[in-house]
Amino acid sequence: MRVGVIGCGFFAGNHLRGWQEVEGARVTAICDSDPERLEAAVDIAGHDVQRFRDADDMLGSGLVDFVDIITPPHTHCALIRAAAAAGVPAIVQKPLSLDLKEAEEAVAMMEARGLPLMVHENFRFQAPMRRLLDVVRGGEIGRPTYARVAFRTAWDIYAGQPYLADLERFILFDVGVHVVDLIRSVLGDVVRVSCETDSIRPGITGEDSATLLLRHENGAIGVVECSYASPVPGDPFPQFHVTVEGTDGAVVLAPDLGVTIRKGAGEHREVIKPEVLPWMEPPWEVVQDSVIAIQRHWLDCLSARRETETSGRDNLQTLRVIEAAYRAAGSGRAERPVAAT
Ligand code: NAD
Ligand code: 89Y
């Protein structure tokens, strides 16, 4: 499959290198409106790659079988609509959109044309997270009753991603969508959301801390925490902590990649490390490995004509939780995740 990458900034290097590890796919075209970023990406993608400054030109070129969109959030839906108009399947980075209605329309447009759309929610594809999901989905801890996902750090994320400091709606649309996707992967859909937010670091525009209390459709209770202002000992960035309790046991994923399973009186601990390739760099290895894993998932689903785990349709549920969380933080009341249209 010929891949067209749109957006060659901070995170795109991981996608470009990731595709080189995926059998059956090869980046044949790259696009960025910024010529310097485009040229810098050629060094990774290879000098025989086709270069485009305009996504419509790439989409109309007939040179790509699908596109991989890694541009800023506010540009995602326009690019998905362009892919739909050109009849090209698409992967889009998180968040699918900053606007729920726009996201619903873009997903509907792809679906109406029968075109696959996947949101690049790579966190649930991290190797130790997959182990935890196997334990829960395999029924090893019984019926899940409670889960907590916590992403707390004071790592200087602004060095690589300076635009984050200017976002009015900040952490929930940045790492918040990841942690909500994680808890949805464990407990399923959400029916009620309470939320408290805070803006702690001086000089930033939006909230850099959010805590959500969730009731899931299956009756379980979820707690989601994310903070970029947490000077915790041994800063675990970019790893997170997950606890899942069930009627017959519990499973915990610690930031050191240890997965501990308790069943009855017995406990068992495994450490699930990713394969570290020469281009990977600390502390990003688990994240970089998960990019390859989700790219493989996309390709497998595309060839089997199966919906991806994190399809556009699925991800609308995450965006609805995020919208409900902002409403709840404003109203001080629990809110329901609902469609915009
Ligand atoms: P960035 O600003 O560094 O790069 C974005 C690039 O897109 C820039 O080079 C810009 O010139 C280009 N661009 C913008 N609009 C364009 C358009 N219409 N056509 C072509 N090129 C265009 O941003 P980034 O940090 O790489 O983030 C990109 C996306 O990746 C965001 O959605 C972000 O949330 C996501 N991200 C995901 C992870 C993860 O772990 N999944 C981590 C970091 C960032
Ligand atoms: O932007 C964030 C993301 O999506 O994953 C990690 C990150 O780059 C910083 O927390």
PDB file of all heavy atoms in Angstrom, residues 10-11 14 122-123 126 151 155-157 160-161 164 174 178 228 236-239 274 276 279-291:
ATOM      1  N   PHE A  10       6.598  17.864  14.512  1.00  0.00           N
ATOM      2  CA  PHE A  10       7.188  17.216  15.690  1.00  0.00           C
ATOM      3  C   PHE A  10       6.958  15.703  15.747  1.00  0.00           C
ATOM      4  O   PHE A  10       7.884  14.930  15.939  1.00  0.00           O
ATOM      5  CB  PHE A  10       6.613  17.881  16.955  1.00  0.00           C
ATOM      6  CG  PHE A  10       6.911  17.148  18.231  1.00  0.00           C
ATOM      7  CD1 PHE A  10       8.180  17.183  18.794  1.00  0.00           C
ATOM      8  CD2 PHE A  10       5.921  16.414  18.880  1.00  0.00           C
ATOM      9  CE1 PHE A  10       8.457  16.504  19.970  1.00  0.00           C
ATOM     10  CE2 PHE A  10       6.182  15.729  20.046  1.00  0.00           C
ATOM     11  CZ  PHE A  10       7.457  15.780  20.600  1.00  0.00           C
ATOM     12  N   PHE A  11       5.696  15.260  15.574  1.00  0.00           N
ATOM     13  CA  PHE A  11       5.409  13.838  15.796  1.00  0.00           C
ATOM     14  C   PHE A  11       5.540  12.988  14.537  1.00  0.00           C
ATOM     15  O   PHE A  11       5.607  11.762  14.602  1.00  0.00           O
ATOM     16  CB  PHE A  11       4.008  13.660  16.409  1.00  0.00           C
ATOM     17  CG  PHE A  11       3.863  12.350  17.147  1.00  0.00           C
ATOM     18  CD1 PHE A  11       4.523  12.123  18.353  1.00  0.00           C
ATOM     19  CD2 PHE A  11       3.101  11.316  16.627  1.00  0.00           C
ATOM     20  CE1 PHE A  11       4.422  10.915  19.028  1.00  0.00           C
ATOM     21  CE2 PHE A  11       2.989  10.094  17.296  1.00  0.00           C
ATOM     22  CZ  PHE A  11       3.651   9.902  18.490  1.00  0.00           C
ATOM     23  N   ASN A  14       7.928   9.886  13.869  1.00  0.00           N
ATOM     24  CA  ASN A  14       7.568   8.556  14.384  1.00  0.00           C
ATOM     25  C   ASN A  14       6.709   7.790  13.382  1.00  0.00           C
ATOM     26  O   ASN A  14       6.844   6.581  13.234  1.00  0.00           O
ATOM     27  CB  ASN A  14       6.823   8.689  15.713  1.00  0.00           C
ATOM     28  CG  ASN A  14       7.698   9.327  16.780  1.00  0.00           C
ATOM     29  OD1 ASN A  14       8.877   8.981  16.910  1.00  0.00           O
ATOM     30  ND2 ASN A  14       7.151  10.270  17.526  1.00  0.00           N
ATOM     31  N   ASN A 122      -2.824   5.773  19.587  1.00  0.00           N
ATOM     32  CA  ASN A 122      -1.774   4.774  19.753  1.00  0.00           C
ATOM     33  C   ASN A 122      -1.600   4.295  21.192  1.00  0.00           C
ATOM     34  O   ASN A 122      -1.064   3.215  21.422  1.00  0.00           O
ATOM     35  CB  ASN A 122      -0.439   5.318  19.229  1.00  0.00           C
ATOM     36  CG  ASN A 122      -0.103   6.677  19.803  1.00  0.00           C
ATOM     37  OD1 ASN A 122      -0.966   7.550  19.895  1.00  0.00           O
ATOM     38  ND2 ASN A 122       1.134   6.882  20.206  1.00  0.00           N
ATOM     39  N   PHE A 123      -2.073   5.079  22.206  1.00  0.00           N
ATOM     40  CA  PHE A 123      -1.786   4.690  23.589  1.00  0.00           C
ATOM     41  C   PHE A 123      -2.369   3.305  23.916  1.00  0.00           C
ATOM     42  O   PHE A 123      -1.754   2.524  24.613  1.00  0.00           O
ATOM     43  CB  PHE A 123      -2.297   5.748  24.578  1.00  0.00           C
ATOM     44  CG  PHE A 123      -1.326   6.890  24.787  1.00  0.00           C
ATOM     45  CD1 PHE A 123      -0.465   7.304  23.785  1.00  0.00           C
ATOM     46  CD2 PHE A 123      -1.272   7.559  26.005  1.00  0.00           C
ATOM     47  CE1 PHE A 123       0.426   8.357  23.973  1.00  0.00           C
ATOM     48  CE2 PHE A 123      -0.381   8.609  26.206  1.00  0.00           C
ATOM     49  CZ  PHE A 123       0.464   9.007  25.202  1.00  0.00           C
ATOM     50  N   GLN A 126      -0.050   0.394  23.152  1.00  0.00           N
ATOM     51  CA  GLN A 126       1.230   0.178  23.836  1.00  0.00           C
ATOM     52  C   GLN A 126       1.277  -1.275  24.326  1.00  0.00           C
ATOM     53  O   GLN A 126       0.280  -1.803  24.836  1.00  0.00           O
ATOM     54  CB  GLN A 126       1.377   1.148  25.001  1.00  0.00           C
ATOM     55  CG  GLN A 126       1.507   2.599  24.515  1.00  0.00           C
ATOM     56  CD  GLN A 126       1.836   3.573  25.620  1.00  0.00           C
ATOM     57  OE1 GLN A 126       2.212   3.180  26.728  1.00  0.00           O
ATOM     58  NE2 GLN A 126       1.709   4.858  25.330  1.00  0.00           N
ATOM     59  N   PHE A 151      -2.471   9.937  34.149  1.00  0.00           N
ATOM     60  CA  PHE A 151      -1.309  10.425  33.394  1.00  0.00           C
ATOM     61  C   PHE A 151      -0.908  11.731  34.078  1.00  0.00           C
ATOM     62  O   PHE A 151      -1.531  12.768  33.885  1.00  0.00           O
ATOM     63  CB  PHE A 151      -1.715  10.677  31.938  1.00  0.00           C
ATOM     64  CG  PHE A 151      -0.583  11.083  31.027  1.00  0.00           C
ATOM     65  CD1 PHE A 151      -0.013  10.164  30.145  1.00  0.00           C
ATOM     66  CD2 PHE A 151      -0.098  12.379  31.025  1.00  0.00           C
ATOM     67  CE1 PHE A 151       1.021  10.539  29.296  1.00  0.00           C
ATOM     68  CE2 PHE A 151       0.943  12.759  30.183  1.00  0.00           C
ATOM     69  CZ  PHE A 151       1.499  11.835  29.306  1.00  0.00           C
ATOM     70  N   TRP A 155       6.882  16.908  33.074  1.00  0.00           N
ATOM     71  CA  TRP A 155       7.820  16.898  31.940  1.00  0.00           C
ATOM     72  C   TRP A 155       7.593  18.145  31.087  1.00  0.00           C
ATOM     73  O   TRP A 155       6.456  18.578  30.909  1.00  0.00           O
ATOM     74  CB  TRP A 155       7.557  15.628  31.119  1.00  0.00           C
ATOM     75  CG  TRP A 155       8.429  15.459  29.919  1.00  0.00           C
ATOM     76  CD1 TRP A 155       8.188  15.918  28.664  1.00  0.00           C
ATOM     77  CD2 TRP A 155       9.675  14.774  29.862  1.00  0.00           C
ATOM     78  NE1 TRP A 155       9.203  15.543  27.824  1.00  0.00           N
ATOM     79  CE2 TRP A 155      10.138  14.851  28.528  1.00  0.00           C
ATOM     80  CE3 TRP A 155      10.451  14.092  30.810  1.00  0.00           C
ATOM     81  CZ2 TRP A 155      11.328  14.269  28.113  1.00  0.00           C
ATOM     82  CZ3 TRP A 155      11.631  13.512  30.396  1.00  0.00           C
ATOM     83  CH2 TRP A 155      12.065  13.606  29.060  1.00  0.00           C
ATOM     84  N   ASP A 156       8.663  18.697  30.526  1.00  0.00           N
ATOM     85  CA  ASP A 156       8.519  19.930  29.743  1.00  0.00           C
ATOM     86  C   ASP A 156       8.008  19.589  28.333  1.00  0.00           C
ATOM     87  O   ASP A 156       8.768  19.558  27.368  1.00  0.00           O
ATOM     88  CB  ASP A 156       9.863  20.664  29.666  1.00  0.00           C
ATOM     89  CG  ASP A 156       9.714  21.977  28.917  1.00  0.00           C
ATOM     90  OD1 ASP A 156       8.561  22.411  28.675  1.00  0.00           O
ATOM     91  OD2 ASP A 156      10.762  22.556  28.553  1.00  0.00           O
ATOM     92  N   ILE A 157       6.707  19.365  28.248  1.00  0.00           N
ATOM     93  CA  ILE A 157       6.095  19.040  26.954  1.00  0.00           C
ATOM     94  C   ILE A 157       6.121  20.246  26.014  1.00  0.00           C
ATOM     95  O   ILE A 157       6.017  20.102  24.803  1.00  0.00           O
ATOM     96  CB  ILE A 157       4.631  18.572  27.136  1.00  0.00           C
ATOM     97  CG1 ILE A 157       3.945  19.489  28.152  1.00  0.00           C
ATOM     98  CG2 ILE A 157       4.577  17.132  27.627  1.00  0.00           C
ATOM     99  CD1 ILE A 157       2.564  19.816  27.831  1.00  0.00           C
ATOM    100  N   GLY A 160       8.975  20.562  22.966  1.00  0.00           N
ATOM    101  CA  GLY A 160       8.723  19.949  21.649  1.00  0.00           C
ATOM    102  C   GLY A 160       7.431  20.413  21.015  1.00  0.00           C
ATOM    103  O   GLY A 160       7.285  20.407  19.794  1.00  0.00           O
ATOM    104  N   GLN A 161       6.465  20.800  21.855  1.00  0.00           N
ATOM    105  CA  GLN A 161       5.126  21.157  21.350  1.00  0.00           C
ATOM    106  C   GLN A 161       4.714  22.523  21.928  1.00  0.00           C
ATOM    107  O   GLN A 161       3.780  22.595  22.745  1.00  0.00           O
ATOM    108  CB  GLN A 161       4.122  20.071  21.752  1.00  0.00           C
ATOM    109  CG  GLN A 161       4.440  18.695  21.172  1.00  0.00           C
ATOM    110  CD  GLN A 161       3.605  17.582  21.811  1.00  0.00           C
ATOM    111  OE1 GLN A 161       4.017  16.960  22.779  1.00  0.00           O
ATOM    112  NE2 GLN A 161       2.427  17.347  21.273  1.00  0.00           N
ATOM    113  N   LEU A 164       1.071  23.994  22.553  1.00  0.00           N
ATOM    114  CA  LEU A 164       0.174  23.544  23.619  1.00  0.00           C
ATOM    115  C   LEU A 164      -0.115  24.663  24.631  1.00  0.00           C
ATOM    116  O   LEU A 164      -1.213  24.735  25.186  1.00  0.00           O
ATOM    117  CB  LEU A 164       0.772  22.332  24.347  1.00  0.00           C
ATOM    118  CG  LEU A 164       0.875  21.038  23.528  1.00  0.00           C
ATOM    119  CD1 LEU A 164       1.574  19.938  24.336  1.00  0.00           C
ATOM    120  CD2 LEU A 164      -0.510  20.548  23.080  1.00  0.00           C
ATOM    121  N   ASP A 174      -5.683  17.343  24.464  1.00  0.00           N
ATOM    122  CA  ASP A 174      -4.350  16.828  24.130  1.00  0.00           C
ATOM    123  C   ASP A 174      -4.212  15.397  24.664  1.00  0.00           C
ATOM    124  O   ASP A 174      -4.551  14.446  23.978  1.00  0.00           O
ATOM    125  CB  ASP A 174      -3.259  17.776  24.653  1.00  0.00           C
ATOM    126  CG  ASP A 174      -1.898  17.306  24.165  1.00  0.00           C
ATOM    127  OD1 ASP A 174      -1.749  17.072  22.958  1.00  0.00           O
ATOM    128  OD2 ASP A 174      -0.984  17.090  24.992  1.00  0.00           O
ATOM    129  N   HIS A 178      -6.464  10.724  24.916  1.00  0.00           N
ATOM    130  CA  HIS A 178      -5.778   9.426  25.064  1.00  0.00           C
ATOM    131  C   HIS A 178      -6.306   8.681  26.295  1.00  0.00           C
ATOM    132  O   HIS A 178      -6.611   7.489  26.228  1.00  0.00           O
ATOM    133  CB  HIS A 178      -4.277   9.620  25.286  1.00  0.00           C
ATOM    134  CG  HIS A 178      -3.463   9.864  24.057  1.00  0.00           C
ATOM    135  ND1 HIS A 178      -3.591   9.137  22.901  1.00  0.00           N
ATOM    136  CD2 HIS A 178      -2.455  10.752  23.829  1.00  0.00           C
ATOM    137  CE1 HIS A 178      -2.703   9.569  22.007  1.00  0.00           C
ATOM    138  NE2 HIS A 178      -2.010  10.550  22.544  1.00  0.00           N
ATOM    139  N   TYR A 228      -0.372  18.095  33.573  1.00  0.00           N
ATOM    140  CA  TYR A 228       0.974  18.467  33.116  1.00  0.00           C
ATOM    141  C   TYR A 228       1.673  19.332  34.173  1.00  0.00           C
ATOM    142  O   TYR A 228       2.672  19.973  33.884  1.00  0.00           O
ATOM    143  CB  TYR A 228       0.879  19.255  31.806  1.00  0.00           C
ATOM    144  CG  TYR A 228       0.602  18.408  30.574  1.00  0.00           C
ATOM    145  CD1 TYR A 228      -0.208  18.897  29.553  1.00  0.00           C
ATOM    146  CD2 TYR A 228       1.177  17.157  30.412  1.00  0.00           C
ATOM    147  CE1 TYR A 228      -0.437  18.144  28.402  1.00  0.00           C
ATOM    148  CE2 TYR A 228       0.947  16.396  29.283  1.00  0.00           C
ATOM    149  CZ  TYR A 228       0.138  16.890  28.279  1.00  0.00           C
ATOM    150  OH  TYR A 228      -0.088  16.139  27.147  1.00  0.00           O
ATOM    151  N   PRO A 236       7.154   9.880  35.494  1.00  0.00           N
ATOM    152  CA  PRO A 236       7.004   8.705  34.615  1.00  0.00           C
ATOM    153  C   PRO A 236       6.790   9.029  33.142  1.00  0.00           C
ATOM    154  O   PRO A 236       6.622   8.107  32.345  1.00  0.00           O
ATOM    155  CB  PRO A 236       5.747   8.037  35.170  1.00  0.00           C
ATOM    156  CG  PRO A 236       4.943   9.159  35.735  1.00  0.00           C
ATOM    157  CD  PRO A 236       5.913  10.191  36.222  1.00  0.00           C
ATOM    158  N   PHE A 237       6.790  10.304  32.730  1.00  0.00           N
ATOM    159  CA  PHE A 237       6.457  10.676  31.350  1.00  0.00           C
ATOM    160  C   PHE A 237       7.172   9.774  30.350  1.00  0.00           C
ATOM    161  O   PHE A 237       8.354   9.519  30.485  1.00  0.00           O
ATOM    162  CB  PHE A 237       6.862  12.128  31.083  1.00  0.00           C
ATOM    163  CG  PHE A 237       6.505  12.569  29.683  1.00  0.00           C
ATOM    164  CD1 PHE A 237       5.255  13.080  29.400  1.00  0.00           C
ATOM    165  CD2 PHE A 237       7.427  12.455  28.632  1.00  0.00           C
ATOM    166  CE1 PHE A 237       4.920  13.470  28.102  1.00  0.00           C
ATOM    167  CE2 PHE A 237       7.090  12.837  27.340  1.00  0.00           C
ATOM    168  CZ  PHE A 237       5.846  13.339  27.082  1.00  0.00           C
ATOM    169  N   PRO A 238       6.524   9.314  29.294  1.00  0.00           N
ATOM    170  CA  PRO A 238       5.125   9.535  28.937  1.00  0.00           C
ATOM    171  C   PRO A 238       4.227   8.367  29.362  1.00  0.00           C
ATOM    172  O   PRO A 238       3.190   8.156  28.745  1.00  0.00           O
ATOM    173  CB  PRO A 238       5.200   9.619  27.412  1.00  0.00           C
ATOM    174  CG  PRO A 238       6.282   8.622  27.063  1.00  0.00           C
ATOM    175  CD  PRO A 238       7.257   8.614  28.217  1.00  0.00           C
ATOM    176  N   GLN A 239       4.638   7.674  30.410  1.00  0.00           N
ATOM    177  CA  GLN A 239       3.851   6.507  30.818  1.00  0.00           C
ATOM    178  C   GLN A 239       2.739   6.897  31.782  1.00  0.00           C
ATOM    179  O   GLN A 239       2.783   7.953  32.412  1.00  0.00           O
ATOM    180  CB  GLN A 239       4.753   5.436  31.412  1.00  0.00           C
ATOM    181  CG  GLN A 239       5.654   4.805  30.370  1.00  0.00           C
ATOM    182  CD  GLN A 239       4.937   4.508  29.061  1.00  0.00           C
ATOM    183  OE1 GLN A 239       5.363   4.957  28.003  1.00  0.00           O
ATOM    184  NE2 GLN A 239       3.843   3.783  29.128  1.00  0.00           N
ATOM    185  N   PRO A 274       8.845  -2.875  25.099  1.00  0.00           N
ATOM    186  CA  PRO A 274       8.763  -2.872  23.633  1.00  0.00           C
ATOM    187  C   PRO A 274      10.095  -3.261  23.029  1.00  0.00           C
ATOM    188  O   PRO A 274      11.134  -3.202  23.703  1.00  0.00           O
ATOM    189  CB  PRO A 274       8.462  -1.410  23.308  1.00  0.00           C
ATOM    190  CG  PRO A 274       9.131  -0.652  24.409  1.00  0.00           C
ATOM    191  CD  PRO A 274       9.032  -1.520  25.639  1.00  0.00           C
ATOM    192  N   VAL A 276      13.134  -2.203  21.226  1.00  0.00           N
ATOM    193  CA  VAL A 276      13.706  -0.861  21.022  1.00  0.00           C
ATOM    194  C   VAL A 276      14.549  -0.878  19.742  1.00  0.00           C
ATOM    195  O   VAL A 276      15.538  -1.596  19.635  1.00  0.00           O
ATOM    196  CB  VAL A 276      14.541  -0.426  22.241  1.00  0.00           C
ATOM    197  CG1 VAL A 276      15.168   0.933  21.987  1.00  0.00           C
ATOM    198  CG2 VAL A 276      13.658  -0.371  23.489  1.00  0.00           C
ATOM    199  N   TRP A 279      16.285   3.911  15.929  1.00  0.00           N
ATOM    200  CA  TRP A 279      15.799   5.289  15.811  1.00  0.00           C
ATOM    201  C   TRP A 279      14.979   5.760  17.007  1.00  0.00           C
ATOM    202  O   TRP A 279      14.652   6.939  17.125  1.00  0.00           O
ATOM    203  CB  TRP A 279      14.978   5.463  14.526  1.00  0.00           C
ATOM    204  CG  TRP A 279      13.820   4.516  14.361  1.00  0.00           C
ATOM    205  CD1 TRP A 279      13.855   3.307  13.737  1.00  0.00           C
ATOM    206  CD2 TRP A 279      12.456   4.686  14.810  1.00  0.00           C
ATOM    207  NE1 TRP A 279      12.598   2.712  13.756  1.00  0.00           N
ATOM    208  CE2 TRP A 279      11.729   3.534  14.409  1.00  0.00           C
ATOM    209  CE3 TRP A 279      11.781   5.686  15.508  1.00  0.00           C
ATOM    210  CZ2 TRP A 279      10.369   3.366  14.679  1.00  0.00           C
ATOM    211  CZ3 TRP A 279      10.430   5.524  15.779  1.00  0.00           C
ATOM    212  CH2 TRP A 279       9.744   4.374  15.360  1.00  0.00           C
ATOM    213  N   MET A 280      14.652   4.853  17.897  1.00  0.00           N
ATOM    214  CA  MET A 280      13.829   5.241  19.054  1.00  0.00           C
ATOM    215  C   MET A 280      14.687   5.933  20.102  1.00  0.00           C
ATOM    216  O   MET A 280      15.887   5.699  20.185  1.00  0.00           O
ATOM    217  CB  MET A 280      13.150   4.010  19.644  1.00  0.00           C
ATOM    218  CG  MET A 280      12.173   3.382  18.680  1.00  0.00           C
ATOM    219  SD  MET A 280      11.403   1.933  19.395  1.00  0.00           S
ATOM    220  CE  MET A 280      10.248   1.504  18.102  1.00  0.00           C
ATOM    221  N   GLU A 281      14.035   6.814  20.870  1.00  0.00           N
ATOM    222  CA  GLU A 281      14.812   7.541  21.887  1.00  0.00           C
ATOM    223  C   GLU A 281      14.047   7.629  23.190  1.00  0.00           C
ATOM    224  O   GLU A 281      12.827   7.801  23.182  1.00  0.00           O
ATOM    225  CB  GLU A 281      15.173   8.940  21.380  1.00  0.00           C
ATOM    226  CG  GLU A 281      13.977   9.697  20.884  1.00  0.00           C
ATOM    227  CD  GLU A 281      14.321  11.018  20.228  1.00  0.00           C
ATOM    228  OE1 GLU A 281      15.497  11.382  20.214  1.00  0.00           O
ATOM    229  OE2 GLU A 281      13.382  11.677  19.761  1.00  0.00           O
ATOM    230  N   PRO A 282      14.777   7.527  24.328  1.00  0.00           N
ATOM    231  CA  PRO A 282      14.103   7.634  25.614  1.00  0.00           C
ATOM    232  C   PRO A 282      13.587   9.062  25.824  1.00  0.00           C
ATOM    233  O   PRO A 282      14.232   9.995  25.349  1.00  0.00           O
ATOM    234  CB  PRO A 282      15.208   7.305  26.630  1.00  0.00           C
ATOM    235  CG  PRO A 282      16.487   7.509  25.907  1.00  0.00           C
ATOM    236  CD  PRO A 282      16.208   7.320  24.457  1.00  0.00           C
ATOM    237  N   PRO A 283      12.458   9.281  26.481  1.00  0.00           N
ATOM    238  CA  PRO A 283      11.632   8.262  27.127  1.00  0.00           C
ATOM    239  C   PRO A 283      10.489   7.786  26.230  1.00  0.00           C
ATOM    240  O   PRO A 283       9.499   7.269  26.718  1.00  0.00           O
ATOM    241  CB  PRO A 283      11.064   9.032  28.331  1.00  0.00           C
ATOM    242  CG  PRO A 283      10.834  10.418  27.782  1.00  0.00           C
ATOM    243  CD  PRO A 283      11.937  10.656  26.773  1.00  0.00           C
ATOM    244  N   TRP A 284      10.640   7.927  24.906  1.00  0.00           N
ATOM    245  CA  TRP A 284       9.513   7.749  23.992  1.00  0.00           C
ATOM    246  C   TRP A 284       9.346   6.332  23.451  1.00  0.00           C
ATOM    247  O   TRP A 284       8.421   6.079  22.661  1.00  0.00           O
ATOM    248  CB  TRP A 284       9.672   8.702  22.793  1.00  0.00           C
ATOM    249  CG  TRP A 284       9.471  10.148  23.132  1.00  0.00           C
ATOM    250  CD1 TRP A 284      10.438  11.055  23.442  1.00  0.00           C
ATOM    251  CD2 TRP A 284       8.227  10.863  23.196  1.00  0.00           C
ATOM    252  NE1 TRP A 284       9.884  12.294  23.689  1.00  0.00           N
ATOM    253  CE2 TRP A 284       8.517  12.197  23.543  1.00  0.00           C
ATOM    254  CE3 TRP A 284       6.898  10.506  22.992  1.00  0.00           C
ATOM    255  CZ2 TRP A 284       7.533  13.169  23.696  1.00  0.00           C
ATOM    256  CZ3 TRP A 284       5.912  11.472  23.136  1.00  0.00           C
ATOM    257  CH2 TRP A 284       6.230  12.786  23.491  1.00  0.00           C
ATOM    258  N   GLU A 285      10.223   5.378  23.827  1.00  0.00           N
ATOM    259  CA  GLU A 285      10.232   4.082  23.121  1.00  0.00           C
ATOM    260  C   GLU A 285       8.877   3.365  23.097  1.00  0.00           C
ATOM    261  O   GLU A 285       8.482   2.808  22.075  1.00  0.00           O
ATOM    262  CB  GLU A 285      11.269   3.126  23.723  1.00  0.00           C
ATOM    263  CG  GLU A 285      12.704   3.608  23.610  1.00  0.00           C
ATOM    264  CD  GLU A 285      13.185   4.229  24.904  1.00  0.00           C
ATOM    265  OE1 GLU A 285      12.370   4.887  25.596  1.00  0.00           O
ATOM    266  OE2 GLU A 285      14.371   4.066  25.234  1.00  0.00           O
ATOM    267  N   VAL A 286       8.176   3.361  24.245  1.00  0.00           N
ATOM    268  CA  VAL A 286       6.896   2.621  24.278  1.00  0.00           C
ATOM    269  C   VAL A 286       5.883   3.293  23.354  1.00  0.00           C
ATOM    270  O   VAL A 286       5.115   2.624  22.649  1.00  0.00           O
ATOM    271  CB  VAL A 286       6.317   2.550  25.711  1.00  0.00           C
ATOM    272  CG1 VAL A 286       5.124   1.614  25.758  1.00  0.00           C
ATOM    273  CG2 VAL A 286       7.359   2.083  26.673  1.00  0.00           C
ATOM    274  N   VAL A 287       5.897   4.621  23.340  1.00  0.00           N
ATOM    275  CA  VAL A 287       4.992   5.365  22.456  1.00  0.00           C
ATOM    276  C   VAL A 287       5.370   5.086  21.000  1.00  0.00           C
ATOM    277  O   VAL A 287       4.508   4.814  20.151  1.00  0.00           O
ATOM    278  CB  VAL A 287       5.072   6.880  22.767  1.00  0.00           C
ATOM    279  CG1 VAL A 287       4.307   7.687  21.723  1.00  0.00           C
ATOM    280  CG2 VAL A 287       4.529   7.177  24.163  1.00  0.00           C
ATOM    281  N   GLN A 288       6.661   5.134  20.697  1.00  0.00           N
ATOM    282  CA  GLN A 288       7.106   4.922  19.311  1.00  0.00           C
ATOM    283  C   GLN A 288       6.744   3.512  18.839  1.00  0.00           C
ATOM    284  O   GLN A 288       6.290   3.315  17.711  1.00  0.00           O
ATOM    285  CB  GLN A 288       8.613   5.194  19.216  1.00  0.00           C
ATOM    286  CG  GLN A 288       8.903   6.683  19.378  1.00  0.00           C
ATOM    287  CD  GLN A 288      10.374   7.024  19.543  1.00  0.00           C
ATOM    288  OE1 GLN A 288      11.130   6.298  20.201  1.00  0.00           O
ATOM    289  NE2 GLN A 288      10.793   8.137  18.968  1.00  0.00           N
ATOM    290  N   ASP A 289       6.919   2.541  19.741  1.00  0.00           N
ATOM    291  CA  ASP A 289       6.550   1.162  19.401  1.00  0.00           C
ATOM    292  C   ASP A 289       5.042   1.051  19.149  1.00  0.00           C
ATOM    293  O   ASP A 289       4.595   0.308  18.269  1.00  0.00           O
ATOM    294  CB  ASP A 289       6.970   0.250  20.571  1.00  0.00           C
ATOM    295  CG  ASP A 289       6.626  -1.202  20.325  1.00  0.00           C
ATOM    296  OD1 ASP A 289       7.208  -1.787  19.400  1.00  0.00           O
ATOM    297  OD2 ASP A 289       5.773  -1.741  21.051  1.00  0.00           O
ATOM    298  N   SER A 290       4.250   1.829  19.900  1.00  0.00           N
ATOM    299  CA  SER A 290       2.784   1.749  19.731  1.00  0.00           C
ATOM    300  C   SER A 290       2.348   2.373  18.406  1.00  0.00           C
ATOM    301  O   SER A 290       1.289   2.026  17.882  1.00  0.00           O
ATOM    302  CB  SER A 290       2.065   2.427  20.906  1.00  0.00           C
ATOM    303  OG  SER A 290       2.236   3.831  20.867  1.00  0.00           O
ATOM    304  N   VAL A 291       3.146   3.279  17.864  1.00  0.00           N
ATOM    305  CA  VAL A 291       2.835   3.836  16.537  1.00  0.00           C
ATOM    306  C   VAL A 291       2.915   2.718  15.497  1.00  0.00           C
ATOM    307  O   VAL A 291       2.020   2.552  14.659  1.00  0.00           O
ATOM    308  CB  VAL A 291       3.806   4.994  16.191  1.00  0.00           C
ATOM    309  CG1 VAL A 291       3.671   5.400  14.726  1.00  0.00           C
ATOM    310  CG2 VAL A 291       3.560   6.193  17.109  1.00  0.00           C
TER     311      VAL A 291
END
